[in-house]
Each structure stands twice: as C-alpha cells, then as structure tokens.
Amino acid sequence: MDLFTKLVLVYSVRSVCLLVFLSTLSWKAILYFSIFLVSLYFLPLFPPKSPSDKKRPAKTRDIMTELYPDAEDAVQAKMVSDAIVNLVSYDAEDTPSVQRFETIKQNSNCVFARKAKLWGSPPWNYELNLDGNIYRLLPMLLKFTIKCSSQKLDAFLIELPGKIYGENVQDFGDGIYKVLKVISDNDPAKIHCMNKSYIDKRGWVFEFNKVTFFITTFAPFYPENHPRYAFGAKDCYILLQPEMSFAFHDLPPDTTETNWDQPQTVRDKIRVAFKDAGRSYYIPDSVYSPMVFEILRPISEQDSSYEWWKSGKKCK
C-alpha cells in the first residue's frame, strides 16, 4: 500500500470516529465544549512570561544598591563639605596668627582694615614642611569659602614664619608660590588656577572652591615707607580676600584715576590716606593690569617684579 492510500485511510477512520462521537452529543454539549477549547487558547490560566520577567537570584551588589543607593555628585560633594566643616574645631577668629596680625590691621591706612573680620591659619608646626602646614589649614579654608558670604567675612590669613620666609622678596615669593600651589592642587572645584598658562596675563584670578580672591601680602623686610610694611611684625602674611567682600563694603569699581585734592570715593580716600602716611602704593596704568603683579610687590617701585609664579625652587 502506498503512502497516499495510507493517509486517506487514516483520515477517513478519524472522520468517521469524530462524526459518531458528535452524533451522540446534544448541540448544547458541543457548544460548551467549543467554548471550553476557546478559553484555553485565549485565556490561559498562567500566561507565558517574557524573558525580562524571569526571576534572577539576588546578588550582593543588587542588595547593596537597594540598601545604599548612590547619591548624585552634587549631594556627595555637599556631604563631604558638611563633614569637613563639622570636623574643623579650632577657633579661626582667635588664632595666634590673627592676634599677631592685629598690629598691621590697626596701623593700616585702609579704612576697612580695623573692622575687618578675619579667619586665620593654625599655629605653624615646625616638624612639618611648608606643604604639610598648608594641608593642615585646608579644611578651615574650605569652611571659610562656605561661610564667607553668609557671615560677611573679609579675609583668610595665612602666616609664614619670618625667620624662614621673611628675609627677602625671593624667599617670600617662593613661599607664596608653594602656598598657592598646594591650595590650588587641592581645589574641590577642580579649577586648579595655579596650573593655568596665563597666570601673568589679564583675566587670571586666584580661585578656590569657586570663590575668587584678591591677594595682599606683608613681610618684615619691607621698609616703613612701603604700603606692605609690617609695622614691626616678625612674620610674613598672605591675605586671601574674597572679591565678594568688596561688595560688602560698597567699594566702587576700580579706576586708575584719583581725586587727590578732594577725594570723593572710598577708593580715593584710601589712596590719599596711604600717600599722606608716606606709603603711597603703585596704581597700575590700566584696571586690566594682571593681578599677579599685585600679590608680591618689589621693595622699590624702580625694581623689577620678582616672578614668583615661575618659581622652581624647592621651598624650605
């Protein structure tokens, strides 16, 4: 018997059996049976799962993520800043550096100096090098940048021992470079301003934690007729003044012109006061003069500026 004949025979037998079966049922039984078959096809009791629904065994990493979800970068940065602020314990407004700087504050011809609100660096640790001492003040400097706006702080004072850095402009300049470089390298905002190629050009400003600073320095080697005269103080000082502090005192915009005979603005009065005291200070020809030259002044205005920002010497 060939294949075709076999198929015809099989389907014929099946058809006859199906007809006999159906003939023994009522039309209602056939209807209900049909509905039952349809329900199995269209409404399964347990629908098939998609591949994504397959249960994975929980991993340690998944459990940790659920218990300790990652915080956003900004949130993490604030948490770190808050933690540092809470850990800083010394009284920055009453440090020996601030106390010793008082003689300069009280004798300065700047009309804002006597009432200026300063925070200071901790006492110098002679068992550490310069880098180590600057690392010690970084937490307080960070706290200063966080608080200076709300508390209207005028400056952060860094004291360097005069017997190491107060002999001449070169030693002090090398110290200034190292101080600012360490601070810049540890800038939480990652600006790293001391790594810029245009430090001695217009537009550069010292910056830490997104706060820009005007920097003034004082040292014992400056003579009495110099605006950076230290009034007998034995140590060197780097004064980081946040530029926002000028707004606190309503200081007018910078200008190269001065009304010497009838000073009108606060800026005029400060310049005249320094001149009358015999300590006139250099006024750049342009308000856009690079700031870097104002940080460390030569002993005589006829001397060339020491390029401290190019210092490659190993600081003591």
Side-chain angles (χ1 to χ4, degrees):
M1 185 183 295
D2 59 9
L3 179 61
F4 176 74
T5 305
K6 288 181 179 181
L7 289 175
V8 171
L9 180 60
V10 170
Y11 280 104
S12 297
V13 173
R14 287 181 179 179
S15 299
V16 171
C17 291
L18 178 61
L19 290 173
V20 173
F21 171 73
L22 293 176
S23 65
T24 62
L25 300 176
S26 66
W27 67 270
K28 289 183 178 180
I30 295 174
L31 176 62
Y32 294 149
F33 183 70
S34 300
I35 293 174
F36 172 73
L37 292 177
V38 171
S39 69
L40 291 178
Y41 181 79
F42 288 103
L43 300 171
L45 185 59
F46 300 103
K49 295 182 179 180
S50 64
S52 61
D53 292 334
K54 292 181 179 179
K55 184 70 174 179
R56 293 184 307 166
K59 295 182 179 180
T60 302
R61 182 174 59 186
D62 298 330
I63 296 173
M64 294 300 293
T65 301
E66 183 176 352
L67 293 176
Y68 307 103
D70 291 338
E72 296 181 359
D73 290 344
V75 175
Q76 291 185 17
K78 187 177 186 307
M79 290 169 61
V80 172
S81 297
D82 290 345
I84 291 175
V85 167
N86 292 332
L87 284 173
V88 176
S89 57
Y90 77 88
D91 185 358
E93 296 185 67
D94 192 31
T95 62
S97 59
V98 170
Q99 295 169 8
R100 286 189 284 266
F101 189 73
E102 190 66 18
T103 183
I104 298 177
K105 272 186 62 178
Q106 296 303 319
N107 288 283
S108 174
N109 299 109
C110 175
V111 297
F112 302 120
R114 294 183 182 181
K115 295 182 179 180
K117 296 177 64 175
L118 307 183
W119 283 16
S121 57
W124 191 267
N125 186 338
Y126 286 93
E127 295 182 359
L128 301 175
N129 59 12
L130 179 57
D131 292 45
N133 276 280
I134 302 307
Y135 289 140
R136 292 175 63 232
L137 65 80
L138 285 176
M140 186 59 80
L141 178 58
L142 175 59
K143 182 175 182 177
F144 177 89
T145 61
I146 296 171
K147 299 289 187 180
C148 64
S149 178
S150 61
Q151 296 189 14
K152 291 183 168 47
L153 302 175
D154 291 302
F156 188 90
L157 179 70
I158 299 175
E159 181 183 67
L160 302 184
K163 61 183 180 182
I164 300 177
Y165 300 101
E167 295 296 322
N168 53 64
V169 172
Q170 289 76 19
D171 288 345
F172 190 28
D174 293 340
I176 291 171
Y177 170 79
K178 195 64 173 179
V179 168
L180 300 185
K181 185 68 167 60
V182 171
I183 295 174
S184 168
D185 288 347
N186 291 276
D187 181 7
K190 302 188 184 303
I191 301 299
H192 304 307
C193 62
M194 289 299 294
N195 293 341
K196 304 302 181 183
S197 60
Y198 54 91
I199 293 180
D200 59 343
K201 302 293 189 300
R202 167 187 171 182
W204 179 86
V205 64
F206 187 77
E207 184 173 351
F208 180 75
N209 196 30
K210 297 184 179 180
V211 175
T212 55
F213 292 90
F214 180 82
I215 300 177
T216 310
T217 57
F218 303 87
F221 54 76
Y222 285 117
E224 188 174 357
N225 64 346
H226 200 284
R228 304 295 176 86
Y229 178 56
F231 296 96
K234 303 300 182 182
D235 296 307
C236 303
Y237 295 95
I238 303 173
L239 198 65
L240 306 180
Q241 299 173 258
E243 291 189 320
M244 69 178 74
S245 69
F246 298 125
F248 299 156
H249 301 290
D250 294 323
L251 197 66
D254 197 5
T255 176
T256 60
E257 297 183 3
T258 306
N259 190 332
W260 297 104
D261 297 325
Q262 295 181 329
Q264 300 296 317
T265 68
V266 173
R267 196 178 297 278
D268 286 347
K269 293 176 182 179
I270 293 174
R271 290 173 177 176
V272 170
F274 271 89
K275 179 182 178 183
D276 291 345
R279 286 186 286 273
S280 296
Y281 60 85
Y282 174 73
I283 301 174
D285 296 333
S286 169
V287 295
Y288 302 112
S289 177
M291 184 182 296
V292 69
F293 295 103
E294 297 304 310
I295 293 177
L296 178 68
R297 298 302 309 166
I299 293 180
S300 171
E301 294 302 338
Q302 285 69 45
D303 297 337
S304 59
S305 296
Y306 178 61
E307 296 181 334
W308 60 269
W309 60 94
K310 297 182 180 179
S311 175
K313 297 179 181 180
K314 183 177 180 181
C315 295
K316 302 176 183 178

